[in-house]
Each structure stands twice: as structure tokens, then as C-alpha cells.
Amino acid sequence: MPNTSCPKKAASHHKKATTIETRKLLDNYLCNLPKQDVYTIAIRLWLNIMQRSGEWRALTWDDVDFEKGTIIIRHSMTKREIEGKMVNVDDEHLKADEIAREIQLTDKAVLILKEAYLLNGQKRYVFNSSRDGKLPISGNRVNEKIKEYCKKVGIEPLSTHCQRRGAIQDAYTAGMPEDQIRATAGHSDSTMTCYYNKDNNSTLSKDLQTKIFG
């Protein structure tokens, strides 16, 4: 008989991540709003991809191919100090040793981008800021909106990074090849990809072990 008389509680290092359930809740709420704006459409796209916030916010219409159903990640929005002030800058380069990568989108994500085009297609950025029209929406403002909508649907507040973590974890759970997860997420090697998955401690099922051991 197993000895369970003195169970030890492991320390929790859980970090917030979206789940299939939270994504559905937020997506349904946003889709049913009577009016769509740049933020609702942006957050709906965020719920359907695993790219960095700075990468998808930096998307221009030149990066979108509706016929192929793809986007190309080739630049990213970052904050940089210029003349003593922290400002948002389109760096037009990627992290580490990355190269531009083409991402295949779901049909749902493509439809969301088409909505954005009807709203904002005459401007350079897919999610253009209405404040000055020269840069895309800011990460801080997007995070404020996400937290607002999380409160509306009754879930814990999330940030843009939670979707990236959740999407990577769900990709592992679905049995997707690690090299494809890494390439889609834009990691230069698998070390960081595995780090994002550290809370996913699922073990092999009985059926899978039977295939291995007979």
C-alpha cells in the first residue's frame, strides 16, 4: 500500500497562462459586443496566435498575405529611451539571431485580420494607434483592455504574455512537434520553449506506454 500518511505539498511556481476555456470566454464576449474597434479586434487576434506582443502589434499590411493565409514576422515594437524619455519604437529587427518567419494562420485568424482591414486598411499598421496614427497600439493599453475584459467575463486578470505561455503549453499538450512550436514562437533554440512548458507535467498515458512497452 502506498504511504500517504505524510504528504508533502510542493511549492507552486505557477505562472498565469490562458487556457482553451479562458480564450473561449474572452472571444465570445468580444465577438458579441455591438461595436468592434481596434482593441477588440486586436485582442481577438491575440487569442488566436502565439507571437510576442511586440511582434503582432508591429504587423503592417505588407506583412499580411490574405491569399496564402499567412503573416510574416520581421520586426517588433519595443520601448527605448530617447532623449531621456521611454518611447515605443518599431525596431524592424527581431530578438537574438532570429530571421523573419512566415506564420500560417487559422481561418478564424484570417477572418479577424480581414475585419481589421475593413476598419484600418488605409493605414500602415494592422492595429494603428488612433492617437497619432504613426505607431500601432501600445502594449500597456492592450494590457489594460485585456484586464478590463477579463473582469467582465469573471476570470483572473491576464496580460498579453499569458497567451503566449498558454498557447505554447497547449501545443505541447496536443502533441505538436517541439521544433515546430519553437519556430512558430520564434525561439532561437528549444531551451526557452521548454521553459514556457515547465508547468505542463503531464505524464505518458497508459495507452502510449502500452505502445512502447507492449
Side-chain angles (χ1 to χ4, degrees):
M1 295 291 289
N3 181 1
T4 58
S5 59
C6 298
K8 294 182 179 180
K9 186 176 181 180
S12 176
H13 299 287
H14 177 71
K15 292 186 177 181
K16 291 181 182 179
T18 59
T19 64
I20 293 173
E21 291 74 22
T22 56
R23 288 194 286 271
K24 283 183 178 178
L25 279 170
L26 284 169
D27 188 63
N28 287 338
Y29 175 81
L30 293 170
C31 285
N32 287 307
L33 289 175
K35 184 178 180 181
Q36 297 293 311
D37 60 29
V38 67
Y39 288 100
T40 57
I41 298 174
I43 294 170
R44 286 167 55 204
L45 180 70
W46 166 75
L47 291 166
N48 284 275
I49 57 177
M50 67 169 62
Q51 276 61 61
R52 300 178 181 94
S53 169
E55 292 175 343
W56 64 259
R57 286 188 295 110
L59 285 173
T60 69
W61 289 115
D62 290 338
D63 303 321
V64 179
D65 190 322
F66 285 119
E67 290 188 5
K68 293 172 63 178
T70 61
I71 55 176
I72 296 179
I73 304 298
R74 49 184 146 208
H75 48 132
S76 181
M77 296 303 301
T78 59
K79 280 193 173 182
R80 186 186 300 168
E81 185 174 345
I82 298 179
E83 297 180 354
K85 294 182 179 181
M86 295 300 294
V87 296
N88 287 306
V89 177
D90 186 340
D91 271 343
E92 298 199 18
H93 70 268
L94 301 171
K95 296 180 70 173
D97 297 323
E98 296 175 37
I99 59 173
R101 61 193 192 279
E102 186 175 62
I103 306 297
Q104 189 75 45
L105 299 176
T106 64
D107 292 341
K108 183 178 179 181
V110 172
L111 288 175
I112 293 170
L113 283 174
K114 287 183 177 180
E115 282 189 60
Y117 188 79
L118 291 175
L119 178 71
N120 220 12
Q122 78 279 14
K123 299 177 181 177
R124 181 188 179 207
Y125 290 101
V126 173
F127 301 112
N128 207 87
S129 170
S130 59
R131 180 175 297 176
D132 57 18
K134 296 179 180 179
L135 289 172
I137 52 179
S138 75
N140 288 341
R141 184 64 174 147
V142 173
N143 277 315
E144 289 173 5
K145 287 288 187 178
I146 291 171
K147 288 178 172 60
E148 175 187 329
Y149 297 135
C150 286
K151 185 176 181 179
K152 295 279 189 183
V153 301
I155 61 176
E156 64 177 342
L158 301 169
S159 68
T160 52
H161 202 64
C162 295
Q163 165 62 8
R164 183 166 167 81
R165 182 179 293 112
I168 292 173
Q169 291 175 357
D170 287 345
Y172 270 103
T173 300
M176 297 178 184
E178 185 173 88
D179 59 339
Q180 293 181 21
I181 300 173
R182 177 193 58 73
T184 304
H187 292 145
S188 57
D189 58 57
S190 61
T191 303
M192 182 55 71
T193 315
C194 292
Y195 173 81
Y196 274 77
N197 192 48
K198 67 180 182 180
D199 289 329
N200 183 354
N201 295 315
S202 300
T203 57
L204 289 172
S205 67
K206 179 180 178 180
D207 289 342
L208 287 175
Q209 292 191 73
T210 301
K211 289 182 180 180
I212 297 171
F213 306 118

